[in-house]
Amino acid sequence: MAEEAENVPVIYLHEIKREYRQGEATLTILNGAKLALWAGQSVALVAPSGSGKSTLLHIAGLLETPDDGEVYVAGTPTSQLSDIDRTQIRRSDIGFVYQSHRLLPEFTALENVMLPQMIRGLKRSETIKRSQEILAYLGLGDRITHRPAELSGGEQQRVAIARAVANAPRVLLADEPTGNLDPGTAEHVFNALMQLVRATQVAMLIATHNMELAGRMDRRVSLVDGQVVEMD
């Protein structure tokens, strides 16, 4: 059974279709897209703006429902699940990192990382210990009592990464996580992400325009005519 589990993708998008109405016209964003994400694998999603990168991430993260096709999480189809069940999967199995850190300004770094764990129902003492460990792992052990306004852009984004992995998700989805950062800081944040992938075996899909960073990931994919194609 363990070997079977290893052969199942963490997330599998099968024949995903997504369209939007634009006035009288129908705009096809995804048209039969397929993508498998495996444990411990980093995948770069490189495509022009407007090609559907964010839509693909939102569908993979169960934030958006495709018009057709299926999203499997650890082999389980999700299209017929209730909103409550989909929310539960997002809380336990999926972590999100955005271009803007989206931290809560009134809370400290530690409290921002604790919050998703407390929402999940973990004990406060457990969330404090785990949050301290993750922040220290990301080089922020001496910044845990600082609020976002007191942190640099790179530090804020590393707190956002810590928050995203706080519940030990199976997959980490990141939408231009280094897009707002200078090259040196972007390198630091990228290294933190790759370090987490190696340490935790989380599957990671990053939408990025940075070809240098994409080139250092395990796979590179793009979107062409609404379908996912392997690069290289």
Side-chain angles (χ1 to χ4, degrees), residues 54-166:
S54 293
T55 298
L56 187 76
L57 284 172
H58 289 166
I59 288 173
L62 307 185
L63 291 171
E64 195 171 327
T65 304
D67 298 314
D68 200 6
E70 184 63 85
V71 179
Y72 295 87
V73 177
T76 301
T78 60
S79 63
Q80 300 303 313
L81 295 179
S82 67
D83 288 343
I84 291 173
D85 288 339
R86 287 165 67 87
T87 297
Q88 184 57 45
I89 290 175
R90 284 198 302 272
R91 284 179 182 167
S92 60
D93 291 342
I94 302 170
F96 297 91
V97 182
Y98 300 94
Q99 184 169 345
S100 171
H101 55 76
R102 300 191 182 184
L103 299 175
L104 297 173
E106 67 273 25
F107 292 129
T108 65
L110 182 67
E111 290 166 341
N112 267 282
V113 179
M114 289 171 58
L115 196 58
Q117 300 172 76
M118 295 183 74
I119 289 172
R120 192 179 172 187
L122 298 183
K123 292 180 181 176
R124 182 177 174 83
S125 58
E126 188 178 342
T127 68
I128 291 173
K129 181 175 181 292
R130 179 167 175 78
S131 300
Q132 287 174 333
E133 289 173 351
I134 297 170
L135 287 166
Y137 183 79
L138 292 173
L140 295 167
D142 60 346
R143 310 291 279 168
I144 63 174
T145 60
H146 290 66
R147 289 184 171 80
E150 301 168 314
L151 301 172
S152 70
E155 288 171 338
Q156 290 171 354
Q157 198 63 318
R158 277 184 284 154
V159 174
I161 292 168
R163 179 184 58 188
V165 300

Side-chain angles (χ1 to χ4, degrees), residues 44 46 190 208 210-220 232:
V46 184
F190 177 78
T208 181
N210 189 322
M211 291 302 297
E212 193 276 325
L213 296 183
R216 291 154 56 190
M217 297 175 69
D218 297 322
R219 287 167 58 202
R220 284 148 296 283
D232 300 337

Side-chain angles (χ1 to χ4, degrees), residues 167-222:
N167 282 327
R170 296 172 185 267
V171 64
L172 187 61
L173 303 173
D175 197 354
E176 297 286 354
T178 62
N180 286 340
L181 305 174
D182 64 78
T185 304
E187 174 77 12
H188 203 75
V189 168
F190 177 78
N191 287 339
L193 284 166
M194 294 301 290
Q195 187 179 352
L196 279 169
V197 171
R198 288 190 292 268
T200 66
Q201 287 297 293
V202 66
M204 180 170 68
L205 178 64
I206 295 184
T208 181
H209 285 105
N210 189 322
M211 291 302 297
E212 193 276 325
L213 296 183
R216 291 154 56 190
M217 297 175 69
D218 297 322
R219 287 167 58 202
R220 284 148 296 283
V221 299
S222 188

Side-chain angles (χ1 to χ4, degrees), residues 20-42:
Y20 296 102
R21 295 289 297 174
Q22 208 170 52
E24 295 298 312
T26 299
L27 189 62
T28 300
I29 302 297
L30 300 174
N31 190 16
K34 295 181 183 178
L35 178 64
L37 300 178
W38 302 88
Q41 187 178 67
S42 59

